[in-house]
Amino acid sequence: MRRKGIAVLATAVAAMSVAATISPAVASSSSPARSAAVVAERVPPNAEAMRRAIAGLPSADATAAQVRLGGKDGRWLGTSGEADIRTHRAPKGDERFRAGSITKTFTAAVVLQLVHEGKVRLDGTVQHYLPGLLPAGYPEIRVSQLLNYTSGLPSADFPADFDWQYAHRFTSWDHKELVSRAVGRPMEFAPGTKQHYSNIGYNVLGLIVEKVTGRSYEREVRDRVIVPAGLKDTYSAANDPRIQGRHTRGYQAVKAEDGTSRLVDVTEWNQSITWASGDLVTTTADLERFSSALFQGRVVPKPELKLMFTVPDVLAYNPSGDPAKDRKATYTSGLTRVEVGKTVVYGKTGGRYGYLNGFGATLDRSRTLVYSVNSTDAKGETPPIVGQIIEAGFGK
């Protein structure tokens, strides 16, 4: 249930993508598992900065990285590190990984398609679509507010510490339970008045999708987004703790009482605890295809697509009450707007234990980026390599 998306975006900031297929020409050093392998056709000018950004893996912060650059200046694929630290297998750049909260963009796309078809109304309420789901004392909450994180719903009450999460890594969670564990508490704020990034709203959206279509959320994502966008290696994990096909393995650094750390393999993990907010498995190539199709209006019809590039005019939720900590909202309906230097980028980050990822692009798609980093502390502080990747992709 990671809120790291906003932390990743706020650090140096923004996770991103778009592009197409990348063709031959591989250059690598004598130790390919530990330095960047590169594939390119017409090489963009920021490729060398990106190569330096991802070199030197595995390190204490990350075991592997896969990056794709795209846009008007060319395309480039770089990899570094070890996809599996036991075998020292180097990543090729087409390995699957856990997408985390990037799943929310897919969920938003499905909902906005249903809005376009008249099956869901943006001003329709949770109480209308899912009567009895929320406590009677809650105010009416609109679909639009779920989409842009302004619903005011409290987050699900799950312990955040790694030991508890790891002990429950094979638990299959009921989708309604994800909501019921949250709504026993008071609303955080009046709907529409603040923005608070969390998973709860998107899991409610998953339930609405199932209610209005009469089909599973997973099937709707597959038939409405994954198949039409030509995504070959993306799927909803559901209750399967494994990652199907070739993939990078994820690791979490765990400290012992004596201060030393060991890496725990966290690849096998039931993602039902995130469901419609974070259970997808994908590849960097598929995220390029998806974001390219999305930005061009081939996933969400253009009238509704505007919402994915519109940030609500509210402040971010500030539970401290200190006005000095007030910040403007940055999330749209399914994406995030971020300024990297003077460059405005729209994209989405996501992470699960062992995996930190992002995709995004400028509105004209002149610069695009997709990355997946196998962070050894994906729920902690964002590792420097992520900021370096973002800076190389969208900096000067």
Side-chain angles (χ1 to χ4, degrees):
M1 310 285 276
R2 175 179 182 271
R3 296 195 200 173
K4 213 50 181 88
I6 195 166
V8 173
L9 291 164
T11 23
V13 233
M16 332 291 158
S17 116
V18 164
T21 334
I22 299 175
S23 53
V26 177
S28 62
S29 78
S30 59
S31 180
R34 294 182 176 273
S35 41
V38 176
V39 180
E41 41 183 42
R42 186 161 57 91
V43 180
N46 54 341
E48 177 58 25
M50 188 64 75
R51 186 197 66 77
R52 291 194 300 269
I54 66 174
L57 299 184
S59 69
D61 292 333
T63 55
Q66 305 175 71
V67 176
R68 288 175 184 263
L69 293 173
K72 67 178 183 180
D73 294 324
R75 301 182 181 91
W76 180 92
L77 161 64
T79 67
S80 184
E82 298 176 350
D84 185 333
I85 63 173
R86 297 168 303 175
T87 64
H88 306 295
R89 172 172 59 88
K92 295 182 178 179
D94 60 357
E95 283 83 359
R96 289 174 171 170
F97 52 85
R98 298 201 184 282
S101 287
I102 289 172
T103 304
K104 293 182 177 73
T105 311
F106 286 67
T107 302
V110 171
V111 173
L112 291 172
Q113 285 184 25
L114 293 170
V115 169
H116 186 79
E117 295 165 11
K119 297 175 181 176
V120 172
R121 293 174 56 93
L122 288 171
D123 61 358
T125 65
V126 177
Q127 287 86 344
H128 169 73
Y129 293 112
L130 301 167
L133 180 70
L134 303 181
Y138 271 28
E140 290 192 335
I141 295 172
R142 298 178 179 180
V143 168
S144 60
Q145 294 162 344
L146 297 174
L147 283 165
N148 64 18
Y149 309 99
T150 63
S151 71
L153 287 172
S155 297
D157 186 20
F158 289 103
D161 64 279
F162 176 74
D163 289 344
W164 187 92
Q165 294 274 339
Y166 187 72
H168 290 83
R169 69 192 183 281
F170 297 128
T171 300
S172 294
W173 296 95
D174 177 78
H175 302 152
K176 287 187 177 180
E177 184 182 357
L178 296 176
V179 179
S180 66
R181 289 186 67 121
V183 298
R185 294 180 290 162
M187 293 279 293
E188 291 183 333
F189 49 81
T193 63
K194 304 285 183 183
Q195 184 179 77
H196 187 187
Y197 179 84
S198 67
N199 289 346
I200 181 70
Y202 273 72
N203 287 329
V204 174
L205 287 171
L207 293 173
I208 291 175
V209 167
E210 294 191 331
K211 182 65 177 292
V212 301
T213 64
R215 305 201 313 167
S216 72
Y217 160 81
E218 292 81 4
R219 186 171 178 180
E220 289 296 308
V221 171
R222 183 195 68 193
D223 292 353
R224 288 177 172 273
V225 181
I226 293 173
V227 173
L231 311 186
K232 307 297 185 184
D233 295 297
T234 300
Y235 69 92
S236 297
N239 290 323
D240 188 350
R242 300 163 298 174
I243 299 178
Q244 302 295 330
R246 282 198 328 109
H247 55 276
T248 55
R249 300 197 70 83
Y251 303 92
Q252 172 69 24
V254 177
K255 285 189 176 181
E257 290 183 2
D258 62 2
T260 60
S261 292
R262 62 187 178 91
L263 290 182
V264 175
D265 192 319
V266 292
T267 309
E268 278 71 50
W269 201 299
N270 185 316
Q271 299 298 309
S272 60
I273 196 170
T274 64
W275 191 43
S277 64
D279 82 341
L280 280 183
V281 170
T282 190
T283 63
T284 55
D286 271 4
L287 287 182
E288 280 188 332
R289 296 185 189 100
F290 169 66
S291 58
S292 179
L294 180 69
F295 278 51
Q296 294 179 65
R298 293 188 286 111
V299 175
V300 174
K302 291 188 176 178
E304 287 72 30
L305 183 61
K306 293 177 182 178
L307 290 172
M308 300 191 82
F309 300 106
T310 303
V311 178
D313 186 18
V314 297
L315 293 177
Y317 178 51
N318 176 13
S320 74
D322 180 358
K325 295 182 179 180
D326 281 345
R327 299 290 184 270
K328 289 184 177 180
T330 57
Y331 289 95
T332 72
S333 296
L335 294 174
T336 316
R337 182 189 184 277
V338 180
E339 294 182 17
V340 184
K342 296 182 179 180
T343 304
V344 175
V345 180
Y346 288 88
K348 188 71 183 76
T349 57
R352 301 301 297 151
Y353 283 111
Y355 303 90
L356 281 179
N357 325 291
F359 80 87
T362 54
L363 265 180
D364 62 1
R365 299 175 55 246
S366 60
R367 300 178 75 175
T368 74
L369 169 67
V370 186
Y371 68 83
S372 178
V373 172
N374 292 97
S375 168
T376 58
D377 189 15
K379 300 292 186 176
E381 291 298 318
T382 303
I385 186 174
V386 172
Q388 292 161 9
I389 287 171
I390 293 166
E391 181 62 27
F394 292 107
K396 298 177 182 178

